[in-house]
Amino acid sequence: MIRETVVETRLVPASPPEPKVETTTAPPATAAGWATLLTELTEQLHEGELGRQHWHHEKLYRALVEVVATLGEVYPGGLEHLQRNVSRRRRR
């Protein structure tokens, strides 16, 4: 009597990790909401992974420069006047 045992091993590829999906929410509608959002960005740059991901910094910089330039266009008197107002308020 001949006994034969056949062992078959199959490699099943692991499922790829689920991609991170960022939920899209409506942008803030108030200055306070934007200030909060920008504070969160500041914290992520200081304490989170985003601060170490230098390849994203140029994109963020360009977007922030565009925001500041637009703020200067829409603020009565422009950025210089706005800066003077901010400086005066800090002294009080």
Coordinates of all heavy atoms in Angstrom, one line a residue:
M1 N 0.8 -1.1 0.0 CA 0.0 0.0 0.0 C 0.9 1.2 0.0 O 1.8 1.4 0.8 CB -0.9 0.0 1.2 CG -1.7 1.2 1.3 SD -2.7 1.5 2.7 CE -3.7 0.1 3.0
I2 N 0.6 2.2 -0.9 CA 1.3 3.4 -1.0 C 0.4 4.5 -0.6 O -0.7 4.7 -1.1 CB 1.8 3.6 -2.4 CG1 2.8 2.5 -2.8 CG2 2.5 5.0 -2.5 CD1 3.2 2.6 -4.2
R3 N 0.9 5.3 0.4 CA 0.1 6.5 0.8 C 0.9 7.7 0.3 O 2.1 7.8 0.5 CB 0.0 6.5 2.3 CG -1.0 5.5 2.7 CD -1.4 5.9 4.1 NE -2.5 5.0 4.5 CZ -3.0 5.0 5.7 NH1 -2.6 5.8 6.6 NH2 -4.0 4.1 6.0
E4 N 0.2 8.6 -0.2 CA 0.8 9.9 -0.7 C 0.0 11.0 -0.1 O -1.2 11.1 -0.3 CB 0.8 9.9 -2.2 CG 1.6 11.0 -2.8 CD 1.7 10.9 -4.3 OE1 2.1 9.9 -4.8 OE2 1.2 11.9 -4.9
T5 N 0.7 12.0 0.5 CA 0.0 13.2 1.0 C 0.5 14.4 0.2 O 1.7 14.6 0.0 CB 0.4 13.4 2.5 OG1 0.0 12.2 3.2 CG2 -0.3 14.6 3.0
V6 N -0.4 15.1 -0.3 CA 0.0 16.3 -1.1 C -0.5 17.5 -0.3 O -1.6 17.6 0.1 CB -0.8 16.2 -2.5 CG1 -0.5 17.5 -3.3 CG2 -0.4 15.0 -3.3
V7 N 0.5 18.4 -0.1 CA 0.2 19.6 0.6 C 0.3 20.7 -0.4 O 1.3 20.9 -1.1 CB 1.2 19.9 1.8 CG1 0.9 21.2 2.4 CG2 1.1 18.7 2.7
E8 N -0.8 21.5 -0.5 CA -0.8 22.6 -1.5 C -0.9 23.9 -0.7 O -1.8 24.0 0.2 CB -2.0 22.4 -2.4 CG -2.0 23.4 -3.5 CD -3.2 23.1 -4.5 OE1 -3.3 21.9 -5.0 OE2 -4.0 24.0 -4.7
T9 N 0.0 24.8 -1.0 CA 0.0 26.1 -0.3 C -0.3 27.2 -1.3 O 0.3 27.2 -2.4 CB 1.4 26.4 0.3 OG1 1.8 25.3 1.2 CG2 1.4 27.7 1.0
R10 N -1.3 28.0 -1.0 CA -1.6 29.1 -1.9 C -1.3 30.4 -1.2 O -1.6 30.6 0.0 CB -3.1 29.0 -2.2 CG -3.5 27.9 -3.0 CD -5.0 28.0 -3.4 NE -5.5 26.7 -3.9 CZ -6.7 26.5 -4.2 NH1 -7.6 27.5 -4.1 NH2 -7.1 25.4 -4.7
L11 N -0.8 31.3 -1.9 CA -0.5 32.6 -1.4 C -1.7 33.5 -1.9 O -1.9 33.7 -3.1 CB 0.8 33.2 -1.9 CG 2.0 32.4 -1.4 CD1 3.3 33.0 -2.0 CD2 2.1 32.5 0.2
V12 N -2.4 34.1 -1.0 CA -3.4 35.0 -1.3 C -3.0 36.4 -1.0 O -2.6 36.7 0.1 CB -4.7 34.7 -0.5 CG1 -5.8 35.6 -0.8 CG2 -5.1 33.2 -0.7
P13 N -3.0 37.3 -2.0 CA -2.5 38.6 -1.8 C -3.4 39.4 -0.8 O -4.6 39.2 -0.8 CB -2.6 39.3 -3.2 CG -3.5 38.5 -4.0 CD -3.5 37.1 -3.4
A14 N -2.8 40.1 0.1 CA -3.5 40.9 1.1 C -4.3 42.0 0.4 O -3.9 42.5 -0.7 CB -2.6 41.5 2.1
S15 N -5.4 42.3 1.0 CA -6.2 43.4 0.4 C -5.4 44.7 0.5 O -4.8 45.0 1.6 CB -7.5 43.6 1.2 OG -8.2 42.4 1.1
P16 N -5.5 45.5 -0.5 CA -4.8 46.8 -0.4 C -5.4 47.7 0.7 O -6.6 47.6 0.9 CB -4.9 47.4 -1.8 CG -6.1 46.8 -2.4 CD -6.1 45.4 -1.8
P17 N -4.7 48.5 1.4 CA -5.3 49.3 2.4 C -6.3 50.3 1.8 O -6.1 50.7 0.6 CB -4.1 50.1 3.0 CG -3.0 50.0 2.0 CD -3.3 48.8 1.2
E18 N -7.3 50.6 2.5 CA -8.3 51.5 2.1 C -7.7 52.9 1.9 O -7.0 53.3 2.8 CB -9.5 51.6 3.1 CG -10.3 50.3 3.1 CD -11.1 50.1 1.8 OE1 -11.6 51.0 1.2 OE2 -11.1 48.9 1.4
P19 N -7.9 53.6 0.8 CA -7.4 54.9 0.7 C -8.1 55.9 1.7 O -9.2 55.7 2.0 CB -7.7 55.3 -0.7 CG -8.8 54.4 -1.1 CD -8.7 53.2 -0.3
K20 N -7.3 56.8 2.2 CA -7.8 57.8 3.1 C -8.7 58.7 2.3 O -8.4 59.2 1.2 CB -6.7 58.7 3.7 CG -6.0 57.9 4.8 CD -5.0 58.9 5.5 CE -4.3 58.2 6.6 NZ -3.4 59.1 7.3
V21 N -9.9 58.9 2.7 CA -10.9 59.7 2.1 C -11.1 60.9 3.0 O -11.5 60.8 4.1 CB -12.2 59.0 1.8 CG1 -13.2 60.0 1.2 CG2 -12.0 57.8 0.9
E22 N -10.8 62.1 2.5 CA -11.0 63.3 3.2 C -12.5 63.7 3.0 O -12.9 63.8 1.9 CB -10.1 64.4 2.8 CG -8.7 64.2 3.2 CD -7.8 65.4 2.9 OE1 -8.3 66.5 3.0 OE2 -6.6 65.1 2.7
T23 N -13.2 64.0 4.1 CA -14.5 64.4 4.0 C -14.6 65.9 3.6 O -13.8 66.7 4.1 CB -15.3 64.2 5.3 OG1 -14.7 64.9 6.3 CG2 -15.4 62.7 5.6
T24 N -15.4 66.2 2.7 CA -15.5 67.6 2.3 C -16.7 68.2 3.0 O -17.8 67.7 3.1 CB -15.8 67.6 0.7 OG1 -14.8 66.9 0.0 CG2 -15.9 69.1 0.3
T25 N -16.3 69.3 3.7 CA -17.3 70.0 4.4 C -17.4 71.4 3.8 O -16.5 71.9 3.1 CB -17.0 70.1 5.9 OG1 -15.7 70.7 6.0 CG2 -16.9 68.8 6.6
A26 N -18.5 72.1 4.1 CA -18.6 73.5 3.6 C -17.6 74.3 4.3 O -17.3 74.2 5.4 CB -20.0 74.0 3.9
P27 N -17.0 75.3 3.5 CA -16.0 76.2 4.1 C -16.7 77.1 5.1 O -17.9 77.3 5.0 CB -15.5 77.0 2.9 CG -16.5 76.8 1.8 CD -17.2 75.5 2.1
P28 N -16.0 77.6 6.1 CA -16.6 78.5 7.0 C -17.2 79.7 6.4 O -16.8 80.2 5.3 CB -15.4 79.0 7.9 CG -14.4 77.9 7.7 CD -14.6 77.4 6.3
A29 N -18.3 80.2 7.0 CA -19.0 81.4 6.4 C -18.7 82.7 7.2 O -19.2 83.7 6.8 CB -20.5 81.1 6.4
T30 N -17.9 82.5 8.3 CA -17.7 83.7 9.1 C -16.2 83.9 9.3 O -15.4 82.9 9.1 CB -18.3 83.5 10.5 OG1 -17.7 82.4 11.2 CG2 -19.8 83.3 10.4
A31 N -15.8 85.1 9.7 CA -14.4 85.3 10.0 C -13.9 84.5 11.2 O -12.8 84.0 11.1 CB -14.2 86.8 10.3
A32 N -14.8 84.3 12.2 CA -14.4 83.5 13.3 C -14.2 82.0 12.9 O -13.2 81.4 13.3 CB -15.5 83.5 14.4
G33 N -15.0 81.5 12.0 CA -14.8 80.2 11.5 C -13.5 80.0 10.7 O -12.8 79.0 10.9
W34 N -13.2 81.0 9.9 CA -11.9 80.9 9.2 C -10.7 81.0 10.1 O -9.7 80.3 9.9 CB -11.8 82.0 8.1 CG -12.5 81.6 6.8 CD1 -13.7 82.1 6.4 CD2 -12.1 80.6 5.9 NE1 -14.1 81.5 5.2 CE2 -13.1 80.6 4.9 CE3 -11.0 79.8 5.8 CZ2 -13.0 79.7 3.8 CZ3 -10.9 78.9 4.8 CH2 -11.9 78.8 3.8
A35 N -10.8 81.9 11.1 CA -9.7 82.0 12.1 C -9.5 80.7 12.8 O -8.3 80.3 13.0 CB -10.1 83.1 13.1
T36 N -10.6 80.0 13.2 CA -10.4 78.7 13.8 C -9.8 77.7 12.9 O -8.9 77.0 13.3 CB -11.8 78.2 14.2 OG1 -12.4 79.1 15.2 CG2 -11.8 76.8 14.8
L37 N -10.2 77.7 11.6 CA -9.6 76.8 10.6 C -8.1 77.0 10.4 O -7.3 76.1 10.4 CB -10.4 76.9 9.3 CG -10.2 75.7 8.3 CD1 -10.8 74.4 9.0 CD2 -11.0 76.0 7.1
L38 N -7.7 78.3 10.4 CA -6.3 78.7 10.2 C -5.5 78.3 11.4 O -4.3 78.0 11.3 CB -6.2 80.1 9.8 CG -6.7 80.5 8.4 CD1 -6.8 82.0 8.2 CD2 -5.9 79.8 7.3
T39 N -6.1 78.5 12.6 CA -5.5 78.0 13.8 C -5.2 76.5 13.8 O -4.1 76.1 14.2 CB -6.3 78.4 15.1 OG1 -6.5 79.9 15.1 CG2 -5.7 78.0 16.4
E40 N -6.1 75.8 13.3 CA -5.9 74.3 13.2 C -4.8 74.0 12.2 O -4.0 73.1 12.5 CB -7.2 73.6 12.7 CG -8.3 73.6 13.8 CD -9.6 73.1 13.3 OE1 -9.6 72.3 12.3 OE2 -10.7 73.4 13.9
L41 N -4.7 74.8 11.1 CA -3.6 74.6 10.2 C -2.3 74.9 10.9 O -1.3 74.1 10.7 CB -3.8 75.5 9.0 CG -2.7 75.5 7.9 CD1 -2.4 74.1 7.4 CD2 -3.0 76.5 6.8
T42 N -2.2 75.9 11.6 CA -1.0 76.3 12.3 C -0.6 75.2 13.3 O 0.6 74.8 13.3 CB -1.2 77.6 13.1 OG1 -1.6 78.6 12.2 CG2 0.0 78.0 13.9
E43 N -1.6 74.6 14.0 CA -1.3 73.5 14.9 C -0.8 72.3 14.2 O 0.2 71.6 14.6 CB -2.5 73.2 15.8 CG -2.8 74.3 16.8 CD -4.2 74.1 17.5 OE1 -4.9 73.1 17.2 OE2 -4.5 74.9 18.3
Q44 N -1.4 72.0 13.0 CA -0.9 70.8 12.3 C 0.5 71.1 11.8 O 1.3 70.1 11.7 CB -1.8 70.6 11.1 CG -3.1 69.9 11.4 CD -3.9 69.5 10.2 OE1 -3.4 69.2 9.2 NE2 -5.2 69.5 10.3
L45 N 0.8 72.3 11.4 CA 2.2 72.5 10.9 C 3.2 72.4 12.0 O 4.3 71.9 11.8 CB 2.3 73.9 10.3 CG 1.6 74.1 8.9 CD1 1.5 75.5 8.5 CD2 2.4 73.3 7.8
H46 N 2.8 72.9 13.2 CA 3.7 72.8 14.4 C 3.9 71.4 14.9 O 5.0 70.9 15.2 CB 3.3 73.7 15.5 CG 3.7 75.1 15.3 ND1 5.0 75.5 15.3 CD2 3.0 76.3 15.1 CE1 5.1 76.8 15.1 NE2 3.9 77.3 15.0
E47 N 2.7 70.7 15.0 CA 2.7 69.5 15.8 C 2.4 68.2 15.0 O 2.7 67.1 15.5 CB 1.7 69.6 16.9 CG 1.9 70.7 17.9 CD 0.7 71.1 18.7 OE1 -0.3 70.3 18.7 OE2 0.8 72.1 19.4
G48 N 1.9 68.3 13.8 CA 1.5 67.2 13.1 C 2.4 66.8 11.9 O 3.5 67.4 11.8
E49 N 2.0 65.8 11.2 CA 2.8 65.3 10.1 C 2.9 66.3 9.0 O 4.0 66.4 8.3 CB 2.1 64.0 9.5 CG 2.8 63.3 8.5 CD 4.1 62.7 9.0 OE1 4.3 62.4 10.2 OE2 5.1 62.5 8.2
L50 N 2.0 67.2 8.8 CA 2.0 68.2 7.8 C 3.2 69.1 7.9 O 3.8 69.5 6.9 CB 0.7 69.1 7.8 CG 0.5 70.0 6.6 CD1 0.5 69.3 5.3 CD2 -0.8 70.7 6.8
G51 N 3.7 69.4 9.1 CA 4.9 70.2 9.2 C 6.1 69.5 8.7 O 7.1 70.2 8.3
R52 N 6.1 68.2 8.7 CA 7.3 67.5 8.2 C 7.2 67.2 6.7 O 8.2 66.8 6.1 CB 7.5 66.2 9.0 CG 7.9 66.4 10.4 CD 8.1 65.1 11.2 NE 6.8 64.5 11.5 CZ 6.0 64.8 12.5 NH1 6.3 65.8 13.3 NH2 4.9 64.1 12.7
Q53 N 6.0 67.4 6.1 CA 5.8 67.1 4.7 C 6.1 68.4 3.9 O 5.3 69.0 3.3 CB 4.4 66.6 4.5 CG 4.1 65.3 5.1 CD 2.7 64.9 5.0 OE1 1.8 65.7 4.7 NE2 2.4 63.6 5.3
H54 N 7.4 68.7 3.8 CA 7.9 69.9 3.1 C 7.4 70.1 1.7 O 7.3 71.2 1.2 CB 9.4 70.1 3.2 CG 10.1 68.9 2.6 ND1 10.4 68.9 1.3 CD2 10.6 67.8 3.1 CE1 11.0 67.8 1.0 NE2 11.1 67.0 2.1
W55 N 7.1 69.0 1.0 CA 6.7 69.0 -0.4 C 5.3 69.6 -0.5 O 4.9 70.1 -1.6 CB 6.7 67.6 -1.0 CG 6.0 66.6 -0.2 CD1 4.7 66.2 -0.4 CD2 6.5 65.8 0.8 NE1 4.4 65.2 0.5 CE2 5.5 64.9 1.3 CE3 7.8 65.6 1.4 CZ2 5.6 64.0 2.3 CZ3 7.9 64.7 2.4 CH2 6.8 63.9 2.9
H56 N 4.6 69.8 0.6 CA 3.3 70.5 0.6 C 3.4 72.0 0.9 O 2.4 72.7 0.7 CB 2.3 69.8 1.5 CG 1.9 68.4 1.2 ND1 1.4 68.1 -0.1 CD2 2.0 67.3 1.8 CE1 1.1 66.8 -0.1 NE2 1.5 66.3 1.0
H57 N 4.5 72.4 1.5 CA 4.6 73.7 2.0 C 4.5 74.8 0.9 O 3.9 75.8 1.1 CB 5.9 73.9 2.8 CG 6.0 73.0 4.0 ND1 7.1 72.9 4.8 CD2 5.0 72.3 4.6 CE1 6.8 72.1 5.8 NE2 5.6 71.7 5.7
E58 N 5.0 74.6 -0.3 CA 4.9 75.6 -1.3 C 3.5 75.8 -1.7 O 3.0 76.9 -1.9 CB 5.8 75.2 -2.5 CG 5.8 76.2 -3.6 CD 6.7 75.9 -4.8 OE1 7.6 75.1 -4.6 OE2 6.4 76.5 -5.9
K59 N 2.7 74.7 -1.8 CA 1.3 74.8 -2.2 C 0.5 75.6 -1.1 O -0.3 76.5 -1.5 CB 0.7 73.4 -2.3 CG -0.8 73.4 -2.8 CD -1.4 72.0 -2.7 CE -0.8 71.1 -3.7 NZ -1.4 69.8 -3.8
L60 N 0.8 75.3 0.1 CA 0.2 76.1 1.2 C 0.6 77.6 1.2 O -0.3 78.5 1.3 CB 0.5 75.5 2.6 CG -0.1 74.1 2.9 CD1 0.5 73.5 4.1 CD2 -1.6 74.2 3.0
Y61 N 1.8 77.8 1.0 CA 2.4 79.2 0.9 C 1.7 80.0 -0.2 O 1.2 81.1 0.1 CB 3.9 79.2 0.7 CG 4.5 80.5 0.7 CD1 4.7 81.3 1.8 CD2 4.8 81.1 -0.6 CE1 5.3 82.5 1.8 CE2 5.3 82.4 -0.6 CZ 5.6 83.1 0.5 OH 6.1 84.4 0.5
R62 N 1.6 79.4 -1.4 CA 1.0 80.1 -2.5 C -0.5 80.4 -2.2 O -1.0 81.5 -2.5 CB 1.1 79.3 -3.7 CG 2.4 79.3 -4.3 CD 2.5 78.5 -5.6 NE 3.9 78.4 -6.1 CZ 4.2 77.9 -7.3 NH1 3.3 77.5 -8.1 NH2 5.4 77.9 -7.6
A63 N -1.2 79.5 -1.6 CA -2.6 79.7 -1.3 C -2.8 80.8 -0.2 O -3.7 81.7 -0.3 CB -3.3 78.4 -0.8
L64 N -1.9 80.8 0.8 CA -2.0 81.8 1.8 C -1.6 83.2 1.3 O -2.2 84.2 1.7 CB -1.1 81.4 3.0 CG -1.6 80.2 3.8 CD1 -0.5 79.7 4.8 CD2 -2.9 80.5 4.5
V65 N -0.6 83.3 0.4 CA -0.3 84.5 -0.2 C -1.4 85.1 -1.0 O -1.8 86.3 -1.0 CB 1.0 84.4 -1.1 CG1 1.2 85.6 -2.0 CG2 2.2 84.2 -0.2
E66 N -2.1 84.2 -1.7 CA -3.3 84.6 -2.5 C -4.4 85.2 -1.6 O -5.0 86.2 -1.9 CB -3.8 83.4 -3.4 CG -5.0 83.8 -4.3 CD -4.6 84.7 -5.4 OE1 -3.4 84.8 -5.8 OE2 -5.5 85.5 -5.8
V67 N -4.6 84.5 -0.5 CA -5.6 85.0 0.5 C -5.2 86.4 1.0 O -6.1 87.3 1.1 CB -5.8 84.0 1.6 CG1 -6.6 84.5 2.8 CG2 -6.4 82.7 1.1
V68 N -4.0 86.5 1.4 CA -3.6 87.8 2.0 C -3.7 88.9 0.9 O -4.1 90.0 1.2 CB -2.1 87.7 2.6 CG1 -1.6 89.1 2.9 CG2 -2.2 86.8 3.8
A69 N -3.3 88.6 -0.3 CA -3.3 89.6 -1.4 C -4.8 90.0 -1.7 O -5.1 91.2 -1.8 CB -2.7 89.1 -2.7
T70 N -5.7 89.0 -1.7 CA -7.1 89.3 -1.9 C -7.7 90.1 -0.7 O -8.5 91.0 -0.9 CB -7.9 88.0 -2.1 OG1 -7.3 87.3 -3.2 CG2 -9.3 88.3 -2.4
L71 N -7.3 89.8 0.5 CA -7.7 90.5 1.7 C -7.3 92.0 1.5 O -8.1 92.9 1.8 CB -7.2 89.9 2.9 CG -7.6 90.5 4.3 CD1 -9.2 90.4 4.4 CD2 -6.9 89.8 5.4
G72 N -6.1 92.2 1.1 CA -5.6 93.6 0.8 C -6.4 94.3 -0.2 O -6.6 95.5 -0.1
E73 N -6.9 93.6 -1.2 CA -7.7 94.2 -2.3 C -9.1 94.6 -1.8 O -9.6 95.7 -2.2 CB -7.8 93.2 -3.5 CG -6.6 93.0 -4.2 CD -6.7 91.8 -5.3 OE1 -7.9 91.4 -5.5 OE2 -5.7 91.4 -5.8
V74 N -9.7 93.8 -0.9 CA -11.0 94.1 -0.5 C -11.1 94.9 0.7 O -12.2 95.5 1.0 CB -11.8 92.8 -0.3 CG1 -11.9 92.0 -1.6 CG2 -11.3 91.9 0.8
Y75 N -10.1 95.0 1.5 CA -10.1 95.8 2.7 C -10.0 97.3 2.4 O -9.0 97.7 1.6 CB -9.0 95.4 3.7 CG -9.1 96.1 5.0 CD1 -10.0 95.6 6.0 CD2 -8.4 97.2 5.4 CE1 -10.2 96.2 7.2 CE2 -8.5 97.8 6.6 CZ -9.4 97.3 7.5 OH -9.6 97.9 8.7
P76 N -10.8 98.2 2.9 CA -10.7 99.6 2.6 C -9.4 100.1 3.0 O -9.0 100.0 4.2 CB -11.9 100.3 3.4 CG -12.8 99.1 3.6 CD -12.0 97.9 3.7
G77 N -8.6 100.7 2.2 CA -7.3 101.2 2.5 C -6.1 100.2 2.3 O -5.0 100.5 2.4
G78 N -6.5 98.9 2.0 CA -5.5 97.9 1.7 C -4.8 97.4 2.9 O -5.1 97.6 4.0
L79 N -3.8 96.6 2.6 CA -3.0 95.9 3.7 C -2.3 96.8 4.6 O -2.2 96.6 5.8 CB -2.0 94.9 3.1 CG -2.6 93.6 2.5 CD1 -1.5 92.8 1.9 CD2 -3.4 92.8 3.5
E80 N -1.8 97.9 4.1 CA -1.1 98.9 5.0 C -2.0 99.4 6.1 O -1.6 99.5 7.2 CB -0.4 100.0 4.2 CG 0.7 99.5 3.3 CD 1.4 100.7 2.5 OE1 1.0 101.8 2.8 OE2 2.2 100.3 1.6
H81 N -3.2 99.8 5.6 CA -4.2 100.4 6.6 C -4.6 99.3 7.6 O -4.7 99.5 8.8 CB -5.4 100.9 5.8 CG -6.3 101.7 6.7 ND1 -7.5 101.2 7.1 CD2 -6.2 102.9 7.2 CE1 -8.1 102.1 7.8 NE2 -7.3 103.2 7.9
L82 N -4.8 98.1 7.1 CA -5.2 97.0 7.9 C -4.1 96.7 9.0 O -4.3 96.5 10.2 CB -5.4 95.7 7.1 CG -5.9 94.5 7.8 CD1 -7.2 94.7 8.6 CD2 -6.1 93.3 6.9
Q83 N -2.8 96.7 8.5 CA -1.7 96.5 9.4 C -1.6 97.5 10.5 O -1.4 97.2 11.7 CB -0.4 96.4 8.7 CG 0.9 96.2 9.5 CD 0.8 94.9 10.3 OE1 0.5 93.9 9.8 NE2 1.2 94.9 11.6
R84 N -1.8 98.8 10.2 CA -1.8 99.9 11.2 C -2.9 99.6 12.2 O -2.7 99.8 13.4 CB -2.0 101.2 10.5 CG -0.8 101.7 9.9 CD -0.9 103.2 9.5 NE -2.0 103.5 8.6 CZ -1.9 103.5 7.3 NH1 -0.7 103.3 6.7 NH2 -2.9 103.8 6.5
N85 N -4.1 99.2 11.7 CA -5.2 98.9 12.7 C -4.9 97.8 13.6 O -5.2 97.9 14.8 CB -6.5 98.6 11.9 CG -7.1 99.8 11.2 OD1 -6.7 101.0 11.5 ND2 -8.1 99.6 10.3
V86 N -4.3 96.8 13.1 CA -3.9 95.6 13.9 C -2.9 96.0 14.9 O -3.0 95.7 16.1 CB -3.5 94.4 13.0 CG1 -2.9 93.3 13.9 CG2 -4.6 93.9 12.2
S87 N -1.9 96.8 14.5 CA -0.8 97.2 15.4 C -1.4 98.1 16.5 O -1.0 98.0 17.7 CB 0.2 98.0 14.6 OG 0.9 97.2 13.7
R88 N -2.3 99.0 16.2 CA -2.9 99.9 17.2 C -3.7 99.0 18.3 O -3.6 99.3 19.4 CB -3.9 100.9 16.6 CG -3.2 102.1 16.2 CD -4.3 103.2 15.8 NE -3.9 103.6 14.5 CZ -4.7 103.6 13.4 NH1 -6.0 103.3 13.6 NH2 -4.3 103.9 12.2
R89 N -4.4 98.0 17.8 CA -5.2 97.2 18.7 C -4.3 96.4 19.7 O -4.6 96.1 20.8 CB -6.1 96.3 18.0 CG -7.2 97.1 17.4 CD -8.3 96.1 16.8 NE -9.4 97.0 16.2 CZ -9.6 96.9 14.9 NH1 -9.0 96.2 14.1 NH2 -10.6 97.7 14.4
R90 N -3.1 96.0 19.2 CA -2.2 95.2 20.0 C -1.7 96.0 21.2 O -1.4 95.5 22.3 CB -1.0 94.7 19.2 CG -1.4 93.5 18.4 CD -0.1 92.9 17.8 NE -0.4 92.1 16.7 CZ 0.3 91.9 15.6 NH1 1.5 92.5 15.6 NH2 -0.1 91.2 14.6
R91 N -1.5 97.3 21.0 CA -0.9 98.2 22.0 C -1.9 98.4 23.1 O -1.5 98.8 24.2 CB -0.5 99.5 21.4 CG 0.7 99.4 20.5 CD 1.2 100.8 20.1 NE 1.5 100.7 18.7 CZ 1.3 101.6 17.7 NH1 0.7 102.7 18.1 NH2 1.6 101.4 16.5
R92 N -3.1 98.3 22.9 CA -4.1 98.6 23.9 C -4.2 97.6 25.0 O -3.9 96.5 25.0 CB -5.5 98.7 23.3 CG -5.6 99.9 22.4 CD -7.0 100.0 21.8 NE -7.0 101.1 20.8 CZ -8.0 101.3 20.0 NH1 -9.1 100.6 20.1 NH2 -8.0 102.3 19.2

